[in-house]
């Protein structure tokens, strides 16, 4: 796959799927990207393969799966923006091998998820859903049995990252005691403290909530054995990833009243689009809240996600900056008003950097600035020169011909 040299912005094609927020389109327009196609739905199969041909920047949310086959068909693709937290829907290593940077928004919906979690905790501890359903059907269940205040209760947070730590602060405002469990040591917020083990957290907590990513270590981390350690008066919340909880075991615990209730927003298998049937062993169980993966689905969160991901895509296209990429070495770059900038992504091996520098030294050209970062497989170098404008294309061709090159781009910066 090759790139055009200094491709004008009006010729850079951007495809946004799944109803990505207006804030993203406005940011692209403000950066002079005019060729933006939007689709409200996800695409799959042949439809997606055909749609990505000739596209330079692809924007998706969680339902569009970018497989190796899709990447193979994307003959102009330089970047993918996941307008959500997760990137599991993208074949990340396959994208990296093709020099396609993948960006996401790991922070923008943290408040929305934290607020939903607290609201669900209140509703579960008060048995609101069952009482509301009874009232809708003409019943009148006025009782304080199994109805509790949040104040003074213990919130156990499994995963103390961006969402977990913000939830910690909000929960203390309710007067809750907060404990957390994480596989790494984390600085606590407020008066929270780290549990010695997951088992300790489960035994002590009145509300257990999960906020971990999907990894080989977290898949199935909450099963029958873990649920059996919870108090019978405790409630369980999963607004993280559907695969981290054994839903059959959770359903059994709820049916047998081994725990008081549960709220689940994510499922191992979810419908691909609105209107498709949804089936779960958790349906119809007492004091159970089921929501259709809406933890981050607020207007504010979607606006923030649109701006965050679009900004990263624009910076990568305009300057070559990879900060925030989940699959390429991260290099932060200052903008330059003049001169030329080259980016070179390569399979990391000794001697590559010296060969790149030789392309300039052989021509008697000064390198004004150079930025370099590697990971376990790839190296990413950015070179700037004010003197090399006349030989920019020749240098680019030489960089592309170097052994191990994945992608080389030439980026002009003007006044």
């Amino acid at each position: 796959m090759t790139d055009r040299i200094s491709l004008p912005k009006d010729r850079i094609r951007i495809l946004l799927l799944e109803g990505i927020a207006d804030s993203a389109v406005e940011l692209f327009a403000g950066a002079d990207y005019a060729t933006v196609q939007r689709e409200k739905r996800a695409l799959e199969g042949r439809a997606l393969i055909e749609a990505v041909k000739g596209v330079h920047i692809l924007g998706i949310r969680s339902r569009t799966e970018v497989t190796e086959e899709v990447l193979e068909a994307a003959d102009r693709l330089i970047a993918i923006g996941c307008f959500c937290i997760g990137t599991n829907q993208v074949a990340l290593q396959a994208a990296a091998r093709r020099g396609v940077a993948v960006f996401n928004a790991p922070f923008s919906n943290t408040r929305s998820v934290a607020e939903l979690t607290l609201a669900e905790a209140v509703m579960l501890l008060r048995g609101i859903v069952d009482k509301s359903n009874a009232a809708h059907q003409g019943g009148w269940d006025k009782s304080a049995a199994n109805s509790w205040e949040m104040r003074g209760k213990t919130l156990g947070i499994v995963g103390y990252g961006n969402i977990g730590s913000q939830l910690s602060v909000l929960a203390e405002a309710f007067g809750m005691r907060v404990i957390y469990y994480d596989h790494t040591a984390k600085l606590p917020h407020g008066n929270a403290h780290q549990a010695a083990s997951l088992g300790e957290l489960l035994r002590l907590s009145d509300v257990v909530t999960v906020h971990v990513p999907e990894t080989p270590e977290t898949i199935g981390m909450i099963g029958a054995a873990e649920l059996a350690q919870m108090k019978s008066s405790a409630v369980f919340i999963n607004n993280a990833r559907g695969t981290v909880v054994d839903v059959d075991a959770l359903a059994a615990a709820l049916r047998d009243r081994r725990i008081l209730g549960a709220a689940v927003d994510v499922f191992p298998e979810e419908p691909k689009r609105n209107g498709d049937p949804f089936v779960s062993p958790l349906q119809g169980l007492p004091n159970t809240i089921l929501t259709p993966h809406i933890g981050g689905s607020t207007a504010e969160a979607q606006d923030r996600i649109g701006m965050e991901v679009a900004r990263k895509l624009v910076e990568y296209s305009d300057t070559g900056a990879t900060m925030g990429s989940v699959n390429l070495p991260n290099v932060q770059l200052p903008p330059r008003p003049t001169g030329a900038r080259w980016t070179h992504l390569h399979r990391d091996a000794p001697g590559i950097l010296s060969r790149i520098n030789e392309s300039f030294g052989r021509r008697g050209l000064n390198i004004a600035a150079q930025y370099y970062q590697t990971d376990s497989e790839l190296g990413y170098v950015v070179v700037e020169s004010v003197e090399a404008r006349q030989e920019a294309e020749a240098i680019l061709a030489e960089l592309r011909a170097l052994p191990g090159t994945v992608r080389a781009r030439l980026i002009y910066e003007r006044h």
Side-chain angles (χ1 to χ4, degrees):
M1 180 164 40
T2 60
D3 297 309
R4 296 177 182 272
I5 297 171
S6 230
L7 190 64
K9 289 187 178 183
D10 60 0
R11 293 172 60 189
I12 293 178
R13 289 182 54 195
I14 300 173
L15 174 62
L16 303 179
L17 304 177
E18 303 186 60
I20 287 169
D22 291 342
S23 59
V25 179
E26 292 166 2
L27 195 146
F28 282 125
D32 298 324
Y33 288 87
T35 310
V36 179
Q37 177 185 350
R38 301 177 75 185
E39 298 285 347
K40 290 185 177 180
R41 58 194 178 97
L43 296 179
E44 56 184 304
R46 295 305 309 176
L48 179 59
I49 287 172
E50 291 300 318
V52 297
K53 293 178 180 178
V55 168
H56 299 88
I57 297 173
L58 174 65
I60 63 173
R61 294 180 68 188
S62 58
R63 295 196 302 272
T64 300
E65 294 188 9
V66 182
T67 63
E68 188 149 6
E69 185 180 9
V70 172
L71 290 164
E72 186 66 30
D75 53 347
R76 291 286 183 269
L77 195 64
I78 66 169
I80 298 170
C82 297
F83 287 76
C84 50
I85 288 181
T87 57
N88 293 339
Q89 69 275 39
V90 179
L92 295 178
Q93 294 307 311
R97 288 195 301 268
R98 291 167 171 81
V100 177
V102 180
F103 300 92
N104 66 337
F107 312 116
S108 293
N109 70 354
T110 56
R111 179 72 182 203
S112 299
V113 177
E115 287 188 3
L116 176 65
T117 300
L118 281 176
E120 289 171 333
V122 171
M123 295 181 74
L124 291 171
L125 288 177
R126 299 288 296 274
I128 295 297
V129 172
D130 290 354
K131 290 179 171 63
S132 175
N133 289 339
H136 276 286
Q137 297 166 12
W140 193 252
D141 182 16
K142 183 179 179 181
S143 170
N146 283 326
S147 186
W148 312 94
E149 291 183 355
M150 295 272 279
R151 182 175 56 178
K153 301 300 182 296
T154 298
L155 173 67
I157 303 172
V158 182
Y160 203 67
N162 300 313
I163 294 172
S165 57
Q166 184 163 164
L167 174 61
S168 172
V169 174
L170 296 177
E172 285 198 7
F174 271 80
M176 300 190 80
R177 173 177 177 256
V178 178
I179 60 176
Y180 63 92
Y181 172 76
D182 202 289
H183 69 285
T184 58
K186 297 287 182 70
L187 182 68
H189 290 237
N191 295 313
H193 72 272
Q194 188 161 4
S197 66
L198 176 60
E200 180 184 73
L201 179 142
L202 294 170
R203 290 190 297 272
L204 295 178
S205 299
D206 300 295
V207 179
V208 175
T209 180
V210 180
H211 300 283
V212 297
E214 182 183 82
T215 68
E217 292 73 27
T218 62
I219 292 175
M221 71 179 299
I222 303 295
E226 288 73 27
L227 292 166
Q229 297 180 64
M230 291 177 58
K231 301 176 183 179
S232 59
S233 59
V235 300
F236 178 82
I237 300 172
N238 181 20
N239 291 335
R241 289 290 179 263
T243 57
V244 305
V245 177
D246 182 341
V247 291
D248 290 312
L250 179 58
L254 290 163
R255 277 195 304 270
D256 297 342
R257 305 288 179 141
R258 293 199 300 271
I259 60 173
L260 182 63
V264 179
D265 185 52
V266 289
F267 304 87
E269 296 181 7
E270 298 181 354
K272 291 187 176 181
R273 60 185 64 84
N274 289 340
D276 286 355
F278 167 63
V279 178
S280 171
L282 298 170
Q283 289 168 321
L285 296 176
N287 201 25
T288 301
I289 302 171
L290 304 181
T291 50
H293 205 145
I294 57 167
S297 296
T298 62
E300 295 91 342
Q302 293 308 307
D303 280 345
R304 289 192 297 267
I305 288 170
M307 289 185 287
E308 180 182 349
V309 179
R311 175 184 54 77
K312 291 176 181 177
L313 291 168
V314 166
E315 288 182 356
Y316 179 63
S317 179
D318 283 359
T319 73
T322 55
M323 286 302 297
S325 172
V326 298
N327 68 332
L328 299 186
N330 276 210
V331 173
Q332 186 168 9
L333 303 170
R336 281 186 67 85
T338 60
R341 175 180 287 173
W342 295 259
T343 68
H344 189 269
L345 180 70
H346 52 269
R347 291 185 291 277
D348 192 30
I352 291 289
L353 190 59
S354 61
R355 291 187 181 187
I356 291 172
N357 292 340
E358 285 173 8
S359 298
F360 294 85
R362 193 183 312 114
R363 293 173 171 84
L365 300 172
N366 288 323
I367 293 176
Q370 190 173 76
Y371 310 87
Y372 189 41
Q373 190 60 263
T374 64
D375 60 21
S376 59
E377 296 183 6
L378 298 172
Y380 186 64
V381 62
V382 181
V383 183
E384 297 176 351
S385 176
V386 178
E387 303 172 353
R389 301 279 310 248
Q390 299 304 315
E391 299 187 68
E393 295 183 21
I395 293 173
L396 177 63
E398 191 169 324
L399 295 181
R400 284 177 171 166
L402 291 176
T405 297
V406 175
R407 180 190 292 274
R409 294 172 59 206
L410 170 60
I411 300 173
Y412 284 107
E413 300 284 352
R414 299 184 175 88
H415 287 292

